[in-house]
């Protein structure tokens, strides 16, 4: 993903003004939350979403090493994810396509992983994340060609979906649910290359297939594992009239649960996979992202900078929102 602009103010439920901020700034935040009805400091035991298991998934993915598009580690990750989702009752499809490598022009085989639950339900909800890692930690001040395992930027959203998958077969309601893991979100070398390749392919395929099941909502999870969690409303998601109610619904769910790390005001405008989903596919998609992450695109984006508690809080909010949204 790419940062477009910085901090935004939101007044009287209308996006009024914006000002450009250079770079992402880490913000100190005292993380606290209430349990469902009890105003006390909570920990993992209070949250009915297994953050420890999600964190183990995150570590498992990172142990594969860097996972850029077309790599052996990406293929290993793909096989792991297909097996995982199928074992939990999903129908899994690979959307394969080829792109040219931005440096040498060679063919790069890509594949989106799409896992479907309750496929008989025509109206559906899309939950998604990218599962590739950037080829290099290009913003690292010491080693911009070093090792980038993408614990937060790559693995965290996938890990939440892997754990969320455990409850999907039992999800009751009128709407079905698809998980989509996008390849090629950032096959970029020093700004040579294209962003959002997998989500663009997915959106074009969806837009062209008039017989496809229809998505009522889409939710993109990206960089949701930061130990210092602070999830502001993404500016594009609030700017678009069709996604603004979705954002309010998710953040209202967080407020009801007492998850204060979901901050109900816009902050960053981020170019991410939700753009082609909405602009090409016509899928009303919001971005759930913590962009105040000091280790973005550096060698320090490692599992120790992430938190099982953060994954639990994000997963809990999404799970609770989803259980209401599918009815």
């Amino acid at each position: 993903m790419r940062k477009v602009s910085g901090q935004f103010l939101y007044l009287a439920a209308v996006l009024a003004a914006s000002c450009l901020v250079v770079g992402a700034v880490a913000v100190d935040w005292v993380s606290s939350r209430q349990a469902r009805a009890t105003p006390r400091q909570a920990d993992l035991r209070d949250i009915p979403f297994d953050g420890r298991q999600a964190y183990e998934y995150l570590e498992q993915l990172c142990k594969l090493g860097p996972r850029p598009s077309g790599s052996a580690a990406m293929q290993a990750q793909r096989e792991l994810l297909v097996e995982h989702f199928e074992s939990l009752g999903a129908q899994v499809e690979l959307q394969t396509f080829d792109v040219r490598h931005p440096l040498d022009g060679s063919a790069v085989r890509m594949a989106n992983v799409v896992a479907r639950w309750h496929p008989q339900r025509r109206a559906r909800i899309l939950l998604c994340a990218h599962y590739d890692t950037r080829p290099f930690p290009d913003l690292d001040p010491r080693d911009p060609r070093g090792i980038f395992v993408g614990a937060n930027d790559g693995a965290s959203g996938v890990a939440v979906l892997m754990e969320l998958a455990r409850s999907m077969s039992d999800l009751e309601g009128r709407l079905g649910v698809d998980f989509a893991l996008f390849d090629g979100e950032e096959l970029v070398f020093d700004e040579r290359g294209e962003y959002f390749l997998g989500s663009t392919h997915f959106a074009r395929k969806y837009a062209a297939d008039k017989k496809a099941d229809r998505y009522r909502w889409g939710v993109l999870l990206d960089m949701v594992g930061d130990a210092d969690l602070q999830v502001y409303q993404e500016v594009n998601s609030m700017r678009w009239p069709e996604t603004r109610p979705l954002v309010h619904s998710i953040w209202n769910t967080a407020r009801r649960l007492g998850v204060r790390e979901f901050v109900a005001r816009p902050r960053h405008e981020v170019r991410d996979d939700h753009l082609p989903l909405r602009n090409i596919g016509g899928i009303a998609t919001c971005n759930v992202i913590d962009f105040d992450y000091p280790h973005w695109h550096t060698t320090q984006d490692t599992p120790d900078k992430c938190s099982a508690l953060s994954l639990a809080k994000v997963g809990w909010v999404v799970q609770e929102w989803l259980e209401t949204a599918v009815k």
Side-chain angles (χ1 to χ4, degrees):
M1 86 292 299
R2 301 177 67 187
K3 168 79 173 296
V4 175
S5 54
Q7 198 159 358
F8 284 72
L9 301 178
Y10 186 69
L11 300 175
V14 177
L15 195 62
S18 62
C19 63
L20 185 63
V21 174
V22 178
V25 181
V27 177
D28 291 331
W29 183 265
V30 180
S31 295
S32 62
R33 60 164 294 282
Q34 299 169 330
R36 286 178 185 266
T38 307
R40 60 185 174 84
Q41 191 73 12
D43 59 25
L44 284 168
R45 293 171 298 180
D46 300 297
I47 299 176
F49 184 90
D50 196 339
R52 290 189 181 90
Q53 181 61 70
Y55 187 81
E56 288 182 12
Y57 290 142
L58 182 149
E59 289 186 311
Q60 182 181 18
L61 298 177
C62 290
K63 285 179 181 177
L64 296 172
R67 304 171 302 284
S69 299
S71 67
M74 166 56 93
Q75 178 62 31
Q77 178 184 217
R78 183 180 301 126
E79 293 171 359
L80 182 157
L81 292 168
V82 170
E83 180 180 357
H84 176 79
F85 291 130
E86 287 183 339
S87 72
L88 295 173
Q91 292 185 0
V92 180
E93 169 196 356
L94 294 182
Q95 291 184 350
T96 58
F97 59 103
D98 292 325
V99 301
R100 292 196 173 278
H101 195 284
L103 296 184
D104 60 21
S106 61
V108 179
R109 171 55 58 99
M110 295 199 176
N112 297 328
V113 178
V114 183
R116 295 167 58 85
W117 280 272
H118 308 287
Q120 74 279 7
R121 302 174 187 174
R122 295 300 306 275
R124 309 187 66 76
I125 290 175
L126 177 67
L127 303 180
C128 50
H130 77 90
Y131 75 122
D132 63 312
T133 56
R134 196 172 179 92
F136 295 109
D138 58 297
L139 296 183
D140 193 286
R142 295 183 178 179
D143 192 6
R145 285 294 181 270
I147 302 299
F148 181 66
V149 299
N152 195 26
D153 187 7
S156 65
V158 179
V160 169
L161 292 179
M162 290 176 73
E163 177 57 26
L164 187 62
R166 294 182 177 277
S167 64
M168 288 299 99
S169 291
D170 297 328
L171 190 66
E172 297 182 357
R174 297 181 295 109
L175 275 62
V177 178
D178 290 353
F179 290 1
L181 303 180
F182 299 127
D183 204 344
E185 193 265 346
E186 46 188 353
L187 184 62
V188 176
F189 298 77
D190 298 324
E191 297 308 312
R192 285 180 289 177
E194 296 182 48
Y195 292 88
F196 323 133
L197 294 167
S199 56
T200 296
H201 178 83
F202 182 94
R204 287 174 176 164
K205 181 177 176 65
Y206 174 79
D209 188 354
K210 302 305 180 183
K211 295 182 180 180
D213 298 337
R214 297 291 98 184
Y215 292 121
R216 182 166 298 178
W217 301 114
V219 179
L220 173 65
L221 303 178
D222 198 352
M223 293 172 61
V224 293
D226 186 0
D228 181 23
L229 188 67
Q230 46 207 342
V231 186
Y232 289 86
Q233 296 165 333
E234 192 272 328
V235 167
N236 288 306
S237 305
M238 286 297 291
R239 177 182 294 141
W240 300 327
E242 67 273 28
T243 57
R244 196 177 302 132
L246 171 60
V247 175
H248 286 314
S249 179
I250 293 173
W251 266 255
N252 286 341
T253 299
R255 184 178 65 236
R256 174 173 61 83
L257 299 177
V259 182
R260 297 178 181 176
E261 288 80 5
F262 278 68
V263 184
R265 64 178 182 271
R267 183 171 178 85
H268 299 294
E269 180 180 357
V270 182
R271 292 183 57 80
D272 208 340
D273 285 315
H274 64 313
L275 298 185
L277 293 177
R278 183 259 186 181
N279 295 337
I280 299 174
I283 305 168
T285 306
C286 77
N287 192 1
V288 176
I289 185 170
D290 174 4
F291 206 81
D292 292 303
Y293 184 59
H295 312 295
W296 184 55
H297 288 188
T298 73
T299 59
Q300 297 303 304
D301 186 4
T302 48
D304 59 298
K305 308 305 189 305
C306 298
S307 162
L309 185 56
S310 295
L311 297 173
K313 289 177 177 180
V314 173
W316 186 25
V317 170
V318 173
Q319 183 171 267
E320 290 280 342
W321 169 81
L322 186 61
E323 288 177 357
T324 300
V326 298
K327 294 180 179 177

